[in-house]
């Protein structure tokens, strides 16, 4: 109703008038009864305000106020008002206005509520429809969202990296894509559940810097960071983390990012950097190597480069790297000032066991070998302490044509662990240094070879020249192209070609020996007069040289006759060396050896060989005669043609060959010079032949044959035997003479035992004649008779030995025994001359090989001479001393020392000469025969004056083992 009323203004105001009129009429009807009926006007205002709104309510308020003042305020029915009624009127007016306002407001509120409810209902209906539509859309959107979520998750997981979200303060992950497990091997749950997982698994070298960076990262919206994490399998994985800071209210709320595996890229970058570092390092080394040709400067520059590139403390090069060497030297070293080397360049360092072990290990490896932390080989403790190093990298260098070097780098400041890239660079430096050492060694060898060649060319004793045969070679090629095949026949029929070809040869150079050999003052004079060198005899040799070039031979050798500038002719040996085809023949090396004297010597040698009175022959290793002279032919009564080719045993006999010839030939074939003398059968009978075998070495090394010089000593030996016989007879005469001189002494020596025998026999007879004979006394006396009989028999035996004429017989003889046996013969003579005889015999003298009788003869002669030398001495004791002992190694010395008048210095040289004597009535043969006997035993007899008085005669004999 209100909505309908409110639609028309007339109706709204009409309602106001109608309500006031009705309430006035009703109040007037009741005024007589109750004056308060005028309050019904308020109802009209309220109804109007409720039904029609505020403005009609105000109209009703005005009409009700007028009606209240006119009809219900005394005076009634008048517009006048008593003063006392003014408050009442005011209250009514205000109350009516309030009710009109409140009623209108409530009405508006209700209308608004209605409208709102209606609108709400309409909206509800509309929203319900919309919600139904939205619900349908949401259901579709939800399905799409689920699909999108799966698609987004698949998209996130398909990203080739770890998509993550984390708290910006604690750095704990709230989301991690499944790629994390693929890249690093850790399950996603571990990333999310462990608050410090990320920080704990950062690489130790990157952890501090990365965490510090992330703590500052909220200050920026975006970051790009590269670091390493430790994977589940222990390997390090390089990650590029593209991080974004999510802000809420200008504060970081979350961190989001993607970790991309860049390990391969890093490896490629590291390899590229390592390769670049390697190439740059090798470039520096190459510059150092190619900067000089001096070995010392080159090695110094290379070691400086290595020291700088590898940032080590010492770089060094020693030679040789040989564990068997006694020492090695420091060829070069470069060090930092704070770590100077223990040895100086050039010092020889003894090879101790630790250094030898290092050499063995290094030589067994094909590359660098590390010693120290992180290496397969520990650093020897003694070496580390002595050299002050903590790690080293060493490599053996093997330059061609030389012993190994050892190249090394040492770290003194800290225990360095050498990386594979550093090892590779060290190996590269080592190889380049090896090549450089080889090249410089070859260059040095080439330079030395050139110098040696120049020295050999200029200073050798052989004439050498270089000749250019290029024009001759071209002429030969032209002939060959013209169809000439038999070049030797062609030059034989075309002498003009030979003469023309000789003019084509050009001498490039010749040494000073060649200049002197050819009689020139200098090289220019010789080169200007070469036509004088070629004589008619040279033409045949030149033809053979051209034939050698035409046939492509690489060498030619021949004897030739050439002329000199002073007109002489020389016989020379030409040796030419041609390069193999198709090389040019513009540098043909020709050696010219003057063999003129050799040819003469060969002639003379052959002449001497043939006319020698001794038999001279040559025997090969097959024991066959290769050459014999005329004397050998005469000995064997056979021509040389038959003898040459025969075996030695076929000519000389099997027995002499096996026993004598063959053993001596074998010794000579082994390189010895052999000489021997013996009796051998020949067609002329047994002959005493002396032979000397000399090894012949045609190549200077191997014995290919034996030169034998044999002399017939038959007549000489017969004369020597006759002389020995005469000497033996003379010695016998001397011994007999000596016995005559010793007759009194010998008689005394015999009388003593004979007198003792007679006395002992008489005593025995007396004891036996007693009634009770003492048989023990008789037995002792008879034993003494036997002993004295043997004593007399020994004296007589020694006399017989000296007197008997027998051939010398050499046996094993003890010198001390010979001295003691001799004493029995001279004891009486010693006593009769008042001489004191003293023996000083060595207890362990070796035996000698000799004739006992002859040695006794020598001793008796020396003792008798000593006794006679002291016969006139009266002012001092007459003492004779006989000594024996070792002498000069394995010899035995016997010395007879007297205190006589001594030796006249003027007669020392003639003392041992035959027929020289200083005694009245002496023959002068004693000392001469004694010396002959001693020398025949291989010994020596000599005399020396004593420091005070007298003289000492010595003789030494070779001892037996």
């Amino acid at each position: 109703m209100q909505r309908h009323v409110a639609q028309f203004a007339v109706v709204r105001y009409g309602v106001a008038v109608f309500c006031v009129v009705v309430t006035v009429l009703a109040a007037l009807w009741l005024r007589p009864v109750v004056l308060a009926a005028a309050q019904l006007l308020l109802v009209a205002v309220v109804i109007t305000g409720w039904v029609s709104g505020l403005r009609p309510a105000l109209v009703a308020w005005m009409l009700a106020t007028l009606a209240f003042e006119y009809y219900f305020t005394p005076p009634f029915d008048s517009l006048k008002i008593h003063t006392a009624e003014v408050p009442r009127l005011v209250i009514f007016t205000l109350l009516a206005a309030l009710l009109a306002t409140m009623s209108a407001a409530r009405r508006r509120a209700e209308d608004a509520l209605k409208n709102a409810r209606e609108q709400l209902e309409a909206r509800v209906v509309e929203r319900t429809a919309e919600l139904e539509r939205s619900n349908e859309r949401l259901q579709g959107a939800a399905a799409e969202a689920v699909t999108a979520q799966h698609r987004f998750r698949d998209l996130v997981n398909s990203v080739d990296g770890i998509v993550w979200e984390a708290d910006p303060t604690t750095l704990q992950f709230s989301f991690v894509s499944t790629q994390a497990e693929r890249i690093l091997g850790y399950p996603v749950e571990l990333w999310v559940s462990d608050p410090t997982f990320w920080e704990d698994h950062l690489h130790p070298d990157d952890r501090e810097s990365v965490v510090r960076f992330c703590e500052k990262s909220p200050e920026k919206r975006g970051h790009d960071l590269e670091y390493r994490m430790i994977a589940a399998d222990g390997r390090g994985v390089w990650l590029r983390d593209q991080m974004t800071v999510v802000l809420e209210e200008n504060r970081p709320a979350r961190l989001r990012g993607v970790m991309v595996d860049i390990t391969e890229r890093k490896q490629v970058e590291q390899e590229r950097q390592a390769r670049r570092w390697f190439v740059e390092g090798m470039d520096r080394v190459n510059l150092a190597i190619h900067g000089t040709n001096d070995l010392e400067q080159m090695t110094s520059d290379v070691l400086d480069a290595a020291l700088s590139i590898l940032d080590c403390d010492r770089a060094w090069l020693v030679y040789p790297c040989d564990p068997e060497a006694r020492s090695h030297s420091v060829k070069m070293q470069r060090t930092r000032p704070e770590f100077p080397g223990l040895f100086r360049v050039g010092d020889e360092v003894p090879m101790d066991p630790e250094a030898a072990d290092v050499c063995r290990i290094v030589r067994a490896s094909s590359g660098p070998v590390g010693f120290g932390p992180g290496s397969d080989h520990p650093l020897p403790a003694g070496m580390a302490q002595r050299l002050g190093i903590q790690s080293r990298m060493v490599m053996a260098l093997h330059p061609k044509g030389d012993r190994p070097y050892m190249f090394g780098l040492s770290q003194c400041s800290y225990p360095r662990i050498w990386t594979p890239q550093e090892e590779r660079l060290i190996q590269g430096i080592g190889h380049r240094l090896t090549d450089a050492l080889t090249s410089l060694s070859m260059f040095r060898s080439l330079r030395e070879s050139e110098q040696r060649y120049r020295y050999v060319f200029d200073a050798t004793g052989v004439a050498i020249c270089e000749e250019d045969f290029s024009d001759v070679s071209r002429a030969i090629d032209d002939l060959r192209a013209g169809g000439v095949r038999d070049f030797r026949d062609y030059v034989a029929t075309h002498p003009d070609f030979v003469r023309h070809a000789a003019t084509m040869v050009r001498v490039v150079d010749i040494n000073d020996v060649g200049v002197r050999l050819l009689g020139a003052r200098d090289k220019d004079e010789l080169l200007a007069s070469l036509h004088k060198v070629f004589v008619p005899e040279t033409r045949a040799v030149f033809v053979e040289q051209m034939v050698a070039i035409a046939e492509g031979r690489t060498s030619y050798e021949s004897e030739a006759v050439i002329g000199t500038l002073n007109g002489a002719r020389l016989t020379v040996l030409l040796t030419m060396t041609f390069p193999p085809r198709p090389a040019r023949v513009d540098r043909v090396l020709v050696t010219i050896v003057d063999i003129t004297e050799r040819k003469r010597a060969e002639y003379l040698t052959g002449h001497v060989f043939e006319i020698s009175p001794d038999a001279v022959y040559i025997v090969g290793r097959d024991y066959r005669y290769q050459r014999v002279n005329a004397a050998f032919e005469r000995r064997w009564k056979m021509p040389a043609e038959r003898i040459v080719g025969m075996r030695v045993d076929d000519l000389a006999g099997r027995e002499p060959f096996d026993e004598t010839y063959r053993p001596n030939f074998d010794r000579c074939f082994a390189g010895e010079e052999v000489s021997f003398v013996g009796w051998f059968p020949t067609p002329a009978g047994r002959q005493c032949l002396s032979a000397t075998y000399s090894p012949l070495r045609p190549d200077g090394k191997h014995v290919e044959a034996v030169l034998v010089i044999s002399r017939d000593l038959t007549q000489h030996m017969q004369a020597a035997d006759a002389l020995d016989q005469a000497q033996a007879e003379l010695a016998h005469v001397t011994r007999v003479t000596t016995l005559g001189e010793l007759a009194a002494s010998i008689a005394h020596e015999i009388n003593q035992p004979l007198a003792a025998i007679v006395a002992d026999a008489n005593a025995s007879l007396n004891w036996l004649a007693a009634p009770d004979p003492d048989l023990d006394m008789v037995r002792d006396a008879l034993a003494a008779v036997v002993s004295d009989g043997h004593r007399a028999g020994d004296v007589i035996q020694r006399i017989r030995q000296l007197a008997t004429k027998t051939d010398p017989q050499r046996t094993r003889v003890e010198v001390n025994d010979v001295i003691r046996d001799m004493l029995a013969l001279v004891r009486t003579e010693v006593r009769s001359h008042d001489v004191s005889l003293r023996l000083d015999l060595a207890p362990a003298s070796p035996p000698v090989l000799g004739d006992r009788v002859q040695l006794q003869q020598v001793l008796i002669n020396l003792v008798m001479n000593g006794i006679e030398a002291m016969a006139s001495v009266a002012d001092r004791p007459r003492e004779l001393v006989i000594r024996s002992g070792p002498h000069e190694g394995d010899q035995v010395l016997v010395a007879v020392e007297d205190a006589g008048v001594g030796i006249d210095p003027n007669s020392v040289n003639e003392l041992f000469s035959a027929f020289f004597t200083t005694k009245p009535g002496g023959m002068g043969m004693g000392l001469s025969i004694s010396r002959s006997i001693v020398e025949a035993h291989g010994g020596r007899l000599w005399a020396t004056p004593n420091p005070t008085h007298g003289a000492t005669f010595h003789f030494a004999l070779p001892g037996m083992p």
Side-chain angles (χ1 to χ4, degrees):
M1 175 182 169
Q2 290 175 344
R3 184 179 301 116
H4 295 300
V5 172
Q7 291 179 353
F8 303 99
V10 176
V11 177
R12 290 199 302 274
Y13 287 103
V15 170
V17 173
F18 177 76
C19 288
V20 171
V21 170
V22 171
T23 56
V24 168
L25 293 177
L28 288 176
W29 182 66
L30 293 175
R31 186 174 64 184
V33 179
V34 56
L35 185 58
Q39 301 298 328
L40 292 174
L41 293 173
L42 296 175
V43 175
V45 173
V46 171
I47 291 172
T48 301
W50 177 263
V51 175
S52 298
L54 179 60
R55 291 179 180 177
L58 292 176
V59 172
W61 169 66
M62 293 175 61
L63 293 176
T65 301
L66 290 175
F68 183 80
E69 191 274 336
Y70 185 80
Y71 289 110
F72 297 105
T73 301
F76 296 113
D77 301 325
S78 175
L79 294 175
K80 294 182 180 180
I81 186 171
H82 295 291
T83 305
E85 292 297 327
V86 172
R88 179 168 170 264
L89 178 62
V90 171
I91 292 171
F92 178 83
T93 302
L94 294 175
L95 182 60
L98 178 62
L99 289 175
T101 303
M102 290 179 63
S103 177
R106 183 174 179 183
R107 183 215 174 230
R108 284 198 303 275
E110 288 182 357
D111 288 344
L113 288 174
K114 280 184 180 180
N115 291 335
R117 185 173 62 250
E118 290 175 356
Q119 292 176 358
L120 182 60
E121 289 176 353
R123 292 291 300 276
V124 168
V125 172
E126 181 181 353
R127 292 298 294 173
T128 300
E130 290 180 358
L131 286 175
E132 289 177 353
R133 291 192 299 272
S134 298
N135 189 30
E136 293 176 356
R137 288 195 301 271
L138 285 175
Q139 289 178 353
E144 292 180 359
V146 172
T147 303
Q149 183 178 5
H150 288 298
R151 188 164 58 251
F152 178 74
R153 186 178 298 276
D154 292 340
L155 179 63
V156 168
N157 291 330
S158 66
V159 173
D160 189 16
I162 304 173
V163 181
W164 59 270
E165 184 178 70
D167 185 272
T169 304
T170 64
L171 302 180
Q172 182 177 0
F173 291 97
S174 58
F175 172 78
V176 176
S177 66
T178 57
Q179 291 288 344
E181 187 170 354
R182 179 185 66 82
I183 295 175
L184 293 174
Y186 301 108
V188 174
E189 294 76 11
L190 186 61
W191 288 69
V192 177
S193 61
D194 188 353
T196 61
F197 172 83
W198 178 71
E199 183 176 348
D200 293 343
H201 289 80
L202 287 173
H203 193 281
D205 295 341
D206 300 338
R207 181 178 294 126
E208 183 178 355
S209 60
V210 172
V211 171
R212 188 185 306 111
F213 181 86
C214 290
E215 289 174 352
K216 297 179 180 179
S217 62
E219 298 176 2
K220 299 180 180 180
R221 293 294 301 271
H223 308 280
D224 197 345
L225 185 62
E226 293 181 357
Y227 54 86
R228 287 168 292 176
M229 290 188 69
I230 305 301
D233 57 5
R235 59 189 175 88
V237 178
W238 275 99
L239 299 173
R240 180 182 180 185
D241 199 347
Q242 296 173 320
M243 183 189 308
T244 302
V245 180
V246 179
L247 300 178
E248 292 183 1
E249 297 180 359
N250 294 326
R251 297 181 62 186
R254 288 178 301 281
L255 297 177
R256 292 173 180 169
V258 178
M259 301 178 187
V260 181
D261 184 359
I262 59 171
T263 304
E264 292 184 1
R265 193 199 76 187
K266 278 291 185 180
Q267 290 175 348
V268 172
E269 289 180 356
Q270 291 175 353
E271 290 176 0
R272 184 167 58 248
Q273 291 176 355
R275 189 159 47 250
R276 180 179 178 183
W277 178 71
F278 177 84
V279 171
E280 290 176 350
M282 291 305 299
D283 285 343
R284 291 182 60 182
V285 172
N286 289 333
L287 288 175
I289 289 175
H290 295 299
T292 178
N293 287 329
D294 181 70
L295 178 61
E296 183 175 345
Q297 185 62 43
M298 184 275 292
T299 54
S300 175
D301 294 344
V302 170
L303 295 185
D304 275 336
L307 197 71
S308 173
I309 297 168
L310 292 160
D311 192 25
C312 54
D313 298 326
R314 293 177 189 159
W316 42 268
L317 183 70
V318 300
Y319 176 87
C321 179
D322 184 359
E324 305 301 328
R326 298 179 61 183
S327 64
H328 53 260
S329 63
V330 181
K331 289 298 182 182
M332 182 55 64
Q333 69 172 347
R334 307 300 294 168
T335 65
R336 297 196 183 280
E338 59 269 28
F339 298 105
L342 182 62
F343 306 104
R344 296 174 300 178
V345 175
D347 285 354
E348 287 288 335
V349 183
M351 183 70 71
D352 56 63
E354 289 183 338
D357 290 340
V358 170
C359 288
R360 291 188 187 94
I361 294 171
V362 171
R363 290 190 62 171
S365 175
S366 60
V369 179
F371 292 87
S375 303
D376 295 335
H377 304 282
L379 187 64
M383 179 180 293
Q385 182 177 6
R386 184 171 64 257
L387 301 179
I389 57 177
Q390 300 193 49
S391 68
R392 67 181 349 191
M393 183 66 67
V394 187
M395 180 179 177
L397 311 183
H398 299 271
K400 295 180 181 178
D402 201 352
R403 299 168 70 186
Y405 287 73
M406 185 161 61
F407 162 60
L409 302 170
S410 300
Q411 198 71 42
C412 307
S413 54
Y414 67 94
R416 180 172 184 168
I417 299 177
W418 304 90
T419 66
Q421 291 82 5
E422 292 171 340
E423 290 186 19
R424 179 168 171 261
L425 179 59
I426 294 171
Q427 185 172 16
I429 295 174
H431 288 163
R432 289 296 296 118
L433 194 54
T434 300
D435 295 340
L437 289 172
T438 300
S439 299
L440 288 179
S441 177
M442 293 173 63
F443 177 78
R444 183 175 56 195
S445 299
L446 179 61
R447 185 169 57 189
E448 292 175 354
S449 177
E450 290 177 351
Q451 292 174 351
R452 284 195 302 270
Y453 170 77
R454 193 72 248 178
Y455 175 77
V456 169
F457 187 85
D458 291 334
T460 185
V462 178
I464 302 176
C465 66
E466 291 184 10
E467 297 183 1
D468 185 356
F469 279 80
S470 301
D471 294 339
V472 176
S473 178
R474 282 192 290 269
I476 293 173
D477 292 339
D478 293 341
L479 291 177
R480 186 179 289 109
V484 175
R485 294 294 177 263
D486 190 344
F487 192 78
R488 188 184 300 276
D489 181 67
Y490 179 84
V491 296
T493 57
H494 295 78
D496 293 338
F497 175 79
V498 177
R499 285 193 294 270
H500 179 64
T503 63
M504 296 180 184
V505 179
R506 187 171 61 89
V507 177
V508 178
D509 195 5
I510 188 168
N511 64 355
D512 294 339
V513 177
V515 173
R516 292 194 299 269
L517 177 65
L518 297 176
R521 289 190 298 271
D522 53 37
K523 189 182 301 183
D524 294 335
E525 180 187 7
L526 176 62
L527 295 179
S529 308
L530 285 176
H531 60 282
K532 297 180 180 180
V533 175
F534 293 94
V535 296
E537 292 89 340
T538 314
R539 180 182 181 281
V541 176
F542 180 69
V543 169
E544 292 299 325
Q545 293 175 2
M546 290 193 295
V547 171
I549 296 174
E551 293 177 352
R553 282 184 271 170
T554 57
S555 64
Y556 171 75
E557 181 176 296
S558 176
E559 294 182 3
V561 177
I562 61 175
T564 64
L565 271 59
N566 54 20
R569 292 199 175 193
L570 302 176
T571 302
V572 297
L573 177 64
L574 292 176
T575 303
M576 308 180 69
T577 303
F578 303 107
R581 285 183 177 273
R584 299 170 57 188
V585 288
D586 56 347
R587 291 281 182 176
V588 177
L589 190 64
V590 181
T591 59
I592 307 171
V593 180
D594 184 4
I595 60 174
T596 305
E597 295 299 327
R598 192 188 80 183
K599 296 298 285 185
R600 292 175 185 166
E602 288 178 356
Y603 169 76
L604 294 175
T605 301
H607 185 66
V608 170
F609 186 89
E610 293 299 333
I611 69 172
S612 173
D614 295 328
V616 182
Y617 56 97
I618 298 175
V619 177
R621 297 189 72 92
D622 56 356
Y623 308 108
R624 295 185 182 275
Y625 295 103
Q626 296 181 353
R627 185 177 179 183
V628 298
N629 69 346
F632 192 79
E633 295 181 55
R634 291 191 298 270
R635 176 182 296 175
W636 292 97
K637 303 184 185 305
M638 188 180 297
E641 293 77 9
R642 286 188 57 191
I643 298 176
V644 173
M646 292 178 64
R647 282 178 58 92
V648 176
D649 53 348
D650 294 337
L651 182 65
R654 188 68 187 178
E655 184 177 350
F657 176 76
D658 291 337
E659 292 181 358
T660 305
Y661 293 129
R662 183 170 186 168
N664 289 305
F665 277 130
D666 292 341
R667 288 172 58 193
C668 195
F669 287 138
E672 293 186 46
E673 188 89 16
V674 181
S675 296
F676 63 91
V677 178
W679 289 88
F680 301 96
T682 67
R686 287 182 61 83
Q687 293 181 339
C688 182
L689 304 177
S690 71
T692 301
Y693 289 1
S694 300
L696 298 180
R697 298 180 176 88
D699 60 354
K701 295 181 181 179
H702 305 93
V703 178
E704 299 295 338
V706 173
L707 173 66
V708 182
I709 301 177
S710 177
R711 175 169 294 182
D712 185 0
L713 300 178
T714 305
Q715 295 180 355
H716 174 76
M717 293 301 294
Q718 291 173 349
D721 291 341
L723 179 60
D724 291 341
Q725 184 66 26
Q727 287 181 342
E729 292 178 356
L730 181 60
H732 176 259
V733 171
T734 305
R735 290 198 299 273
V736 173
T737 303
T738 303
L739 288 175
E741 296 174 355
L742 295 176
S745 177
I746 293 171
H748 179 74
E749 289 295 325
I750 294 175
N751 285 334
Q752 278 188 341
L754 291 178
I757 290 172
V758 172
D760 290 335
N762 290 328
S764 298
L765 291 174
N766 293 330
W767 287 327
L768 289 174
D772 187 11
D774 189 348
L775 298 180
D776 291 335
M777 295 293 290
V778 174
R779 188 179 294 106
D780 291 340
L782 292 177
V785 169
V786 173
S787 176
D788 289 335
H790 286 305
R791 178 182 171 191
D794 291 340
V795 172
I796 294 171
Q797 178 65 27
R798 296 188 187 100
I799 294 171
R800 289 185 61 193
Q801 289 177 349
L802 289 172
T804 302
K805 183 179 178 181
T806 58
D807 293 332
Q809 296 179 356
R810 295 185 183 180
T811 60
R812 185 183 182 94
V813 177
E814 295 289 342
V815 173
N816 290 345
D817 292 343
V818 175
I819 295 173
R820 294 187 185 97
D821 291 344
M822 179 269 306
L823 291 180
L825 302 177
V826 299
R827 185 178 292 114
T828 302
E829 195 71 22
V830 169
R831 190 178 300 115
S832 65
H833 284 79
D834 195 18
V835 173
S836 173
L837 179 61
R838 181 166 59 88
L839 298 181
D840 183 9
L841 306 181
S845 296
V848 300
L849 181 64
D851 185 273
R852 178 182 292 270
V853 174
Q854 290 183 340
L855 295 180
Q856 282 184 353
Q857 180 179 353
V858 173
L859 281 169
I860 290 173
N861 189 22
L862 297 180
V863 170
M864 293 301 295
N865 288 344
I867 293 173
E868 292 175 356
M870 293 185 291
S872 61
V873 173
D875 58 345
R876 56 183 179 275
R878 299 176 183 178
E879 184 179 24
L880 188 68
V881 181
I882 302 177
R883 296 187 178 89
S884 69
H887 176 69
E888 294 183 356
D890 59 351
Q891 291 188 336
V892 178
L893 176 68
V894 177
V896 178
E897 179 183 346
D898 63 63
V901 296
I903 301 173
D904 184 3
N906 296 324
S907 60
V908 171
N909 295 332
E910 300 178 359
L911 193 61
F912 296 97
S913 299
F915 307 110
F916 176 80
T917 180
T918 59
K919 296 184 293 184
M923 296 177 61
M925 295 299 295
L927 289 178
S928 176
I929 293 174
S930 297
R931 170 173 276 188
S932 297
I933 292 173
V934 172
E935 290 179 350
H937 283 74
R940 184 168 64 97
L941 174 63
W942 72 99
T944 58
N946 294 334
T948 55
H949 304 286
T952 302
F953 285 81
H954 315 262
F955 68 89
L957 301 174
M960 294 181 64

